[in-house]
Amino acid sequence: MDALSSLITRQKRGERSNVMGKYGKLDRMLMYLKILGLEEQVASLKIIHVAGTKGKGSTCTFCEAILRESGFRTGLFTSPHLIDVRERFRLDGLEISEKKFLQYFWNCWNILKENITDALPMPPLFQFLTVLAFKIFVCEQVDVAIIEVGLGGTRDSTNVIKQPVVCGITSLGMDHLETLGNTLGQIALHKAGIFKPQIPAFTVPQLSEAMEVLQERAHELMLINAGLAVSLCKCWLQRTGNWEKIFHNDSQKSDIPEAFRRGLSTAYLSGRAEIVYDTFSKYYNSSAMEENSSGNLIFYLDGAHSPESMEACARWFSSVAKGNGKVSPSSLSSLRNFGNGCARHKKDKVEQSNVISKQILLFNCMEVRDPEVLLTHLVNACTSSGTHFSKALFVPNMSKYNKVTSGTSITASDGTSSDFSWQFSLQRIWEKVIHGTDPVVVKSTMMNCTVSLPPLEFLYEDAFHCSTADQRLACSAVMPSLPQTIKWLRDCVKEKPSVRVQVLVTGSLHLVGDVLKLLRR
């Protein structure tokens, strides 16, 4: 992890990389592959290449599951990871073992170290991980490699792929503006950079500005990312000569082969529409809980961080929190129960009882985002679905942007941050979104006050009567740290077992990953 962290070339997202040298990014990528002897072998991989703003990860995950269920050895490369860097590399649906990861990692690391020059320095983090993915998939002799673009398309490190079997573009939106441009057309142009001559490409329904750039007809099937995955997999099977061989006995009238259905129903992507029942603070015996209770502290985790994905997150949360909505295929298999570090699948059902439910927002986002836009989309979508947050909690970062982690990495100290200015800004924006006007609390007072945990009663106070005229913000709180926030929520549930606390964790994949890591302790 220290070696990988040394490859990070910027302290914050949005900053320019300080990599110097004679060659451009893609030229360097080709040279790294050549040094490792992978140039021709990568060209022989049968690749599905996927770019887009939203849904890249789920589309790639659906593709992997479909083709694995169809009998192929699969390799999947996605980003970012939530807890362990090995999550980025999956073989046959499972993240690569630590033994294999270390073997391939040090092989690539040592060879590249021996060949670096002033003109060709060590690759930055994502370039190294991309090269490592190619190394793994070549050596493991996968039948299909599903590769998710990191950022953009044209100049992305993965775009050394010259002859994919098929390309896909997921939904496009306004994100990474500092890199890709500030219009949908400019962003679409970057994403379309993965298209190759004579290679089929598929996309989903897009706004006209994006669709004109992509020059593709909309292809609409059910759930958008699943529909795109079906198209990509069918095209891959046809172009590799496997469609007739595998599905010749399937009914021609069937819309989707059975193997596709199995793949779609079992695909799982952590941190996206994931439900975790926390049992740490619950007094129960396991059999009684399984039959009679869903647990009184439930986390709903979704790494949404764009306006469009925030709306989708809000609709999903409103639906599943009430227990009366359909659950997406990805969340069917991610419905989990964590107790003292143990995870097990649980019934896809939120039990209805006489307990009172309170919806709580746990939020943070990167400073390159526009939190007012994100929170406005979240609140409006939830309100239109009849969901209202009792409280909003804003927490400081725990993960460091310049540090790569594994599942065994030591979690950052539980000590409080020295700077809460961003969290107070988020809180002020939240109060403005909720009430329509800026809170009257003097900004300097908010910035200079001591951050401490609120009393347990704060969670259960009636927030409907709070107003911006109060000197006390009754609808929200800035919390001293994420670990203390989790403990505080558990203490609140212990205090009032008759109340079910439903916590939506969103705004940042880093936040979602940190919460998952703490719940698994």
Side-chain angles (χ1 to χ4, degrees), residues 1 70 113 154 177 211 279 290 303 332 350 470:
M1 294 306 103
S70 298
K113 271 289 187 182
T154 303
L177 307 186
M211 190 61 78
T279 62
E290 186 69 28
L332 277 173
V350 177
D470 298 333

Side-chain angles (χ1 to χ4, degrees), residues 287-354:
S287 60
M289 178 184 172
E290 186 69 28
E291 294 175 5
N292 303 318
S293 172
S294 294
N296 280 1
L297 179 57
I298 310 170
F299 291 89
Y300 300 79
L301 302 108
D302 191 276
H305 50 266
S306 70
E308 298 86 356
S309 58
M310 197 61 74
E311 284 189 20
C313 169
R315 291 193 297 269
W316 164 75
F317 174 67
S318 297
S319 179
V320 295
K322 293 173 183 175
N324 59 1
K326 293 182 179 179
V327 185
S328 67
S330 60
S331 61
L332 277 173
S333 56
S334 63
L335 197 60
R336 318 183 144 218
N337 179 331
F338 289 139
N340 293 325
C342 295
R344 53 193 168 93
H345 287 287
K346 212 175 149 42
K347 298 174 184 177
D348 175 31
K349 182 179 181 181
V350 177
E351 300 288 349
Q352 300 300 313
S353 64
N354 294 323

Side-chain angles (χ1 to χ4, degrees), residues 341-382:
C342 295
R344 53 193 168 93
H345 287 287
K346 212 175 149 42
K347 298 174 184 177
D348 175 31
K349 182 179 181 181
V350 177
E351 300 288 349
Q352 300 300 313
S353 64
N354 294 323
V355 300
I356 300 172
S357 294
K358 282 189 175 289
Q359 287 78 45
I360 309 297
L361 175 65
L362 182 59
F363 187 89
N364 193 18
C365 68
M366 288 186 169
E367 295 185 31
V368 294
R369 310 287 182 198
D370 186 335
E372 186 164 0
V373 171
L374 297 182
L375 291 172
T376 298
H377 278 75
L378 175 67
V379 170
N380 289 347
C382 280

Side-chain angles (χ1 to χ4, degrees), residues 81-351:
H81 64 275
L82 296 180
I83 296 176
D84 194 304
V85 70
R86 292 183 295 114
E87 296 167 24
R88 297 176 184 240
F89 315 91
R90 290 194 196 179
L91 296 169
D92 293 327
L94 301 175
E95 55 188 64
I96 189 171
S97 68
E98 186 174 293
K99 181 180 179 181
K100 284 186 176 181
F101 176 78
L102 290 173
Q103 172 190 336
Y104 293 127
F105 172 86
W106 288 116
N107 179 268
C108 290
W109 180 273
N110 292 332
I111 293 175
L112 290 175
K113 271 289 187 182
E114 292 170 1
N115 287 274
I116 60 172
T117 63
D118 290 340
L120 186 68
M122 281 293 284
L125 178 64
F126 187 74
Q127 290 182 44
F128 181 88
L129 294 176
T130 304
V131 169
L132 180 58
F134 288 135
K135 172 73 173 178
I136 291 170
F137 297 156
V138 164
C139 292
E140 291 293 322
Q141 299 180 315
V142 298
D143 298 315
V144 55
I146 300 108
I147 307 292
E148 177 190 351
V149 167
L151 175 62
T154 303
R155 294 194 295 271
D156 186 71
S157 299
T158 66
N159 210 25
V160 290
I161 299 168
K162 299 301 182 185
Q163 290 287 317
V165 174
V166 62
C167 297
I169 305 288
T170 67
S171 296
L172 300 181
M174 304 298 287
D175 198 12
H176 296 286
L177 307 186
E178 73 282 358
T179 304
L180 304 180
N182 54 15
T183 71
L184 201 56
Q186 290 174 332
I187 291 171
L189 192 60
H190 276 279
K191 309 292 184 180
I194 70 167
F195 290 173
K196 302 298 186 301
Q198 309 303 313
I199 301 299
F202 294 84
T203 188
V204 298
Q206 307 277 8
L207 293 177
S208 59
E209 183 181 0
M211 190 61 78
E212 289 167 7
V213 174
L214 297 178
Q215 295 181 342
E216 288 289 333
R217 287 181 177 265
H219 186 84
E220 190 170 5
L221 283 174
M222 300 185 302
L223 180 60
I224 285 179
N225 297 333
L228 178 59
V230 166
S231 297
L232 292 172
C233 290
K234 184 174 181 179
C235 182
W236 185 91
L237 287 163
Q238 289 171 336
R239 298 196 74 227
T240 57
N242 287 293
W243 178 260
E244 291 295 330
K245 188 182 345 179
I246 295 177
F247 298 116
H248 64 280
N249 289 326
D250 274 27
S251 169
Q252 295 298 314
K253 296 181 180 179
S254 176
D255 293 329
I256 303 177
E258 182 58 34
F260 279 43
R261 296 179 187 275
R262 290 197 305 270
L264 292 173
S265 66
T266 58
Y268 166 65
L269 189 62
S270 184
R272 281 78 162 183
E274 182 169 8
I275 304 172
V276 174
Y277 291 86
D278 182 68
T279 62
F280 191 90
S281 59
K282 178 73 176 172
Y283 297 105
Y284 67 94
N285 65 60
S286 58
S287 60
M289 178 184 172
E290 186 69 28
E291 294 175 5
N292 303 318
S293 172
S294 294
N296 280 1
L297 179 57
I298 310 170
F299 291 89
Y300 300 79
L301 302 108
D302 191 276
H305 50 266
S306 70
E308 298 86 356
S309 58
M310 197 61 74
E311 284 189 20
C313 169
R315 291 193 297 269
W316 164 75
F317 174 67
S318 297
S319 179
V320 295
K322 293 173 183 175
N324 59 1
K326 293 182 179 179
V327 185
S328 67
S330 60
S331 61
L332 277 173
S333 56
S334 63
L335 197 60
R336 318 183 144 218
N337 179 331
F338 289 139
N340 293 325
C342 295
R344 53 193 168 93
H345 287 287
K346 212 175 149 42
K347 298 174 184 177
D348 175 31
K349 182 179 181 181
V350 177
E351 300 288 349

Side-chain angles (χ1 to χ4, degrees), residues 414-468:
D414 291 4
T416 59
S417 170
S418 58
D419 181 8
F420 291 91
S421 56
W422 177 245
Q423 282 66 45
F424 279 117
S425 295
L426 294 176
Q427 182 187 32
R428 182 171 54 82
I429 290 168
W430 171 259
E431 296 289 335
K432 178 182 177 182
V433 169
I434 291 295
H435 299 292
T437 57
D438 276 311
V440 297
V441 179
V442 180
K443 189 185 297 186
S444 61
T445 303
M446 294 174 69
M447 300 305 174
N448 296 327
C449 70
T450 302
V451 175
S452 58
L453 290 171
L456 301 183
E457 294 76 23
F458 169 78
L459 192 69
Y460 305 109
E461 288 176 349
D462 187 357
F464 292 107
H465 302 299
C466 69
S467 73
T468 55

